Amino acid sequence: MGKSLLNESPGGRIPQAQRLRDLLEDAIVEGHYAPGDRLDPEALARQYQCSRTPIREALTHLAASGMVKVAPKRGTFVARLSVTELVERFEVMAELEGMCGRLAARRMSDETLSALQQAQAACRQCMLNGDVNGYYYENGEFHRLIYEGSHNDFLAQEARRLHAMLKPYRRLQLHARHRLESSWCEHERIVTALIAGDADTAQRELRAHVLLQGERFNDLVASMQRLGQTPA
Amino acid sequence: MGKSLLNESPGGRIPQAQRLRDLLEDAIVEGHYAPGDRLDPEALARQYQCSRTPIREALTHLAASGMVKVAPKRGTFVARLSVTELVERFEVMAELEGMCGRLAARRMSDETLSALQQAQAACRQCMLNGDVNGYYYENGEFHRLIYEGSHNDFLAQEARRLHAMLKPYRRLQLHARHRLESSWCEHERIVTALIAGDADTAQRELRAHVLLQGERFNDLVASMQRLGQTPA
DNA sequence: CACCGTCCTGTTGTATACAACGATCTGCGC
DNA sequence: GCGCAGATCGTTGTATACAACAGGACGGTG
């Protein structure tokens, strides 16, 4: 955790608060902090060896992006999204990804396309090895490449933001039975559509791909609730 | 610092920085500050009778939402979106609005629908009176109601954010010739589709409606450049 | 025993002071 | 006249100190 000081010369040329924001976001996304955990500014300040100010700035930005929630005068907590909020976000994500796909089908460069195929190949390898974490990573690359392929920087930025926000939850349901295999098959259809330049199919497949994740998660939550483990 | 007498009800909280953020956002959206204007933290602090800290927080949040841009060590400026950035945002906006329409066609409550028809009637009145500002306001209501009608709070929030970001530019092209009339006709088709619960048509019409605004703006910019007036 | 008022403590939000970085301007040398 | 180097100034980013608010606990009272 304390591996951050080896960046630049003392004093740091890169804005400290921004670095902290990324660090915290990563920590949350990677599950280092669990949803519902309290993020104590003073503790974080000690941990990252700075004052409360940049911590505060990082936290408010994370709050704005929806990754943490502030309870006024009570503390800041890692966002614990309700099922409704989650489904809503997956709905929007599906639409944005579908849009990325539609645009990418027409605009994607050959380089990006081949990189996409490489990512898909890496996904396949992880799938065959049952390497869930590896798949998780390569899956992120896969989607990121499609965002870039849309050649709409603003869209790509928004998609990345939502992707990051949903990451912790997305990761959960990759462990579902045969989810890796079906996910990879869906990817395959998407790649085919993109290669063919078939915008409608790419859009439809990508939207379905993401929506399915939302539904799968819904199932997961339902089953967890049935087991008496409150997920939220 | 003097206690603000704008205090809400006892339950209401008074986050000063957030109020400033809204105030600044309004000021920018309303054209009080022009794109490219420098926002001097100290001047703003004097103007709003507070220190640089909440101003700074407001500005960084506005920067995150894309309404202002920071030039490191040079100052913070009202975002002067390039034509490309603008077109990208309109593209995304069109998709989100279309999505709102698709969902609203199925989920919209009767109350919201009748409110929408009222807004549309008000739009018609403004159109007949040639009241561009009035139309501008009622148009905002019209779209906001559709966002709410989607019954996806997250989507509505994102749509509102983008809507606010594009407001200054959207306003410009309402002055284009016959734009009010054609805008109103497009609204009419949208309302019809929503009443009929025709999700596909609502989505298509809304997307086209917004995309058209983007294209119109593109035309406007092109003509302004032809006239030698830099568009911001 | 229950209820209510008060005090305490913990938290956030704000102000001010400070330091470091970068851009710009100026003067000197070529 | 031009280019480069150094100083100056303005800007941001960070730290610390401070104030206000709310929640909870505790004790007193009915």
Side-chain angles (χ1 to χ4, degrees), chain A residues 98-107 193-194 196-206:
Chain A
M99 184 181 175
C100 286
R102 192 183 71 224
L103 296 179
R106 300 204 204 92
R107 305 179 180 175
L194 288 176
D198 185 343
D200 286 344
T201 302
Q203 176 170 22
R204 192 174 352 106
E205 292 289 348
L206 257 167

Side-chain angles (χ1 to χ4, degrees), chain A residues 69-77:
Chain A
K69 292 192 175 178
V70 290
K73 302 293 179 193
R74 293 197 53 183
T76 303
F77 303 87

Side-chain angles (χ1 to χ4, degrees), chain A residues 24-61:
Chain A
L24 281 174
E25 182 172 318
D26 281 347
I28 293 172
V29 162
E30 296 302 323
H32 211 280
Y33 301 105
D37 279 2
R38 176 157 186 275
L39 296 174
D40 182 23
E42 287 188 48
L44 291 172
R46 277 194 304 271
Q47 189 170 343
Y48 291 100
Q49 304 212 341
C50 66
S51 85
R52 255 182 46 215
T53 308
I55 297 285
R56 172 184 170 75
E57 185 167 330
L59 287 182
T60 56
H61 276 92

Side-chain angles (χ1 to χ4, degrees), chain B residues 1 15-17 49-54 73-74:
Chain B
M1 194 188 59
Q16 185 96 319
Q49 305 214 341
C50 65
S51 86
R52 254 183 45 212
T53 307
K73 303 295 179 193
R74 294 198 53 185

Side-chain angles (χ1 to χ4, degrees), chain B residues 17-185:
Chain B
Q18 189 169 340
R19 235 172 48 83
L20 283 173
R21 179 162 59 92
D22 293 340
L23 246 51
L24 281 174
E25 181 173 318
D26 281 348
I28 293 172
V29 161
E30 296 303 322
H32 209 279
Y33 301 105
D37 279 2
R38 174 157 188 276
L39 295 173
D40 182 22
E42 287 188 48
L44 291 172
R46 278 193 303 273
Q47 186 170 342
Y48 291 99
Q49 305 214 341
C50 65
S51 86
R52 254 183 45 212
T53 307
I55 296 285
R56 173 184 168 75
E57 184 168 330
L59 286 182
T60 56
H61 277 93
L62 288 176
S65 81
M67 297 203 55
V68 307
K69 293 193 174 177
V70 291
K73 303 295 179 193
R74 294 198 53 185
T76 303
F77 302 86
V78 177
R80 179 188 292 184
L81 297 182
S82 71
V83 178
T84 301
E85 291 173 306
L86 217 46
V87 169
E88 287 183 355
R89 280 163 170 77
F90 269 108
E91 262 189 348
V92 175
M93 185 82 226
E95 198 76 13
L96 288 183
E97 292 236 10
M99 183 182 176
C100 287
R102 192 183 71 224
L103 297 179
R106 300 203 205 92
R107 305 178 180 175
M108 206 170 211
S109 70
D110 289 343
E111 292 76 29
T112 310
L113 191 54
S114 68
L116 186 73
Q117 289 175 282
Q118 283 184 348
Q120 171 69 342
C123 277
R124 181 166 186 274
Q125 204 54 49
C126 293
M127 174 191 73
L128 293 177
N129 297 343
D131 178 4
V132 175
N133 285 333
Y135 191 94
Y136 173 73
Y137 174 76
E138 294 294 341
N139 175 68
E141 281 297 297
F142 182 88
H143 285 275
R144 196 182 54 76
L145 285 166
I146 294 178
Y147 304 159
E148 283 184 10
S150 75
H151 280 265
N152 180 325
D153 288 342
F154 179 72
L155 172 62
Q157 168 192 325
E158 293 295 295
R160 276 194 301 268
R161 190 171 59 90
L162 256 175
H163 189 92
M165 200 186 302
L166 294 177
K167 240 181 178 179
Y169 303 93
R170 205 190 293 257
R171 182 177 232 171
L172 278 181
Q173 41 96 35
L174 272 184
H175 290 84
R177 215 147 188 67
H178 299 303
R179 182 60 198 137
L180 253 57
E181 285 80 0
S182 41
S183 171
W184 188 82
C185 289

